[in-house]
Amino acid sequence: MSTFNLSTQEKLNIISNLATLLSAGIPILEAVDSLLGETKGNTSKILLKLKEDLNQGKSISQSFGEHTKAFDPVTVNLIKAAEEAGTLDTTLKDLTNSIKKDMDFIGKVKSALIYPMLVFIVLLAVVILNLFFVIPRVATVFEKLKVPTPLPTKILIGISKVVTQNTILIIVGIIILAIFIYFIFKVKKQLFLNIIFAFPLISKLIVEIDLTRFTRSFSLLLKSGIPIDTCLELSQHLVLKKQVQGIIANCLKQVASGQNLAQGLKLYPQT
């Protein structure tokens, strides 16, 4: 297995360019040769490996299947089914459209998150400004005037004093906490994501993303002639939320026991 990774745009470029060249009737080896002259980095390495594999008699799906970080199982199995059915150019076009839709959807999600992130950053800046500059000056005025202050004001002044007097310690603590969270994320990524996904607003957003990913991949797999149980098994690994993975897994069991998919989905009417 190779360690080559591709961005979504690089993956789209490979698949869309192959689809265009194959649709024009150009043999696969010539198509790969043509693309090799226009690419660089990991894209070029993957195409070079593809050319070597094709010369050795391997299929495109076998070659792409070795690059697990670049091509997910759904993509590999779609190409494999298309090669067996002789519909590679059509499937590559469908894959291209699907990737474009995914990129557009993720772009909209990111755009929707920009405003809340900006609000959070501004709010954080206001809090820091108050703690370090505004509250200390107000506290000095109160001390000079010897005016009795209400409890909430005393708490704010106390927090401000702690922060201003222990700034270096707090910064070091934040750095240590960030490093700790980073290592937890690396070691137990799923546990960390489950905690993040538990927040109501984030949970709802992730479910929407998962459902979009699942329906699009499931539709493509079915269209290519892959059995429904295999479609469910492959699509299950594309979703992020554990709950959605469990729903798909249960639907797979329902289908495997002879029931239809609709009966399995009816068990989760609120999802």
Side-chain angles (χ1 to χ4, degrees), residues 49-175:
K49 184 67 168 61
L50 173 61
K51 181 182 177 181
E52 292 174 2
D53 289 340
L54 290 172
N55 283 322
Q56 292 173 8
K58 292 183 180 180
S59 64
I60 299 174
S61 58
Q62 286 176 317
S63 182
F64 282 179
E66 295 177 6
H67 307 289
T68 53
K69 290 187 176 181
F71 300 101
D72 56 81
V74 170
T75 300
V76 173
N77 279 274
L78 278 170
I79 294 173
K80 181 181 178 182
E83 287 173 321
E84 293 172 355
T87 57
L88 185 58
D89 55 340
T90 304
T91 298
L92 289 177
K93 285 180 181 178
D94 290 339
L95 259 174
T96 299
N97 291 330
S98 177
I99 295 170
K100 285 180 179 178
K101 287 178 181 178
D102 282 342
M103 290 177 68
D104 184 54
F105 178 71
I106 296 299
K108 288 178 180 178
V109 170
K110 288 180 179 178
S111 298
L113 290 174
I114 287 175
Y115 178 72
M117 287 176 66
L118 285 175
V119 171
F120 175 76
I121 291 169
V122 171
L123 182 62
L124 185 63
V126 169
V127 170
I128 292 171
L129 185 68
N130 277 290
L131 287 175
F132 281 93
F133 300 102
V134 178
I135 294 176
R137 292 181 181 180
V138 172
T140 304
V141 173
F142 283 157
E143 286 176 3
K144 287 180 179 179
L145 296 175
K146 296 181 180 180
V147 177
T149 54
L151 181 61
T153 306
K154 287 180 179 179
I155 292 172
L156 282 174
I157 292 171
I159 293 171
S160 178
K161 283 182 179 180
V162 170
V163 171
T164 52
Q165 292 172 4
N166 302 279
T167 305
I168 295 175
L169 286 175
I170 290 171
I171 292 172
V172 171
I174 291 171
I175 293 172

Side-chain angles (χ1 to χ4, degrees), residues 214 217-218 221-222 226-236:
F214 168 70
S217 62
F218 188 70
L221 290 164
L222 276 179
I226 295 174
I228 189 170
D229 54 342
T230 306
C231 295
L232 287 168
E233 187 176 354
L234 291 169
S235 300
Q236 177 184 348

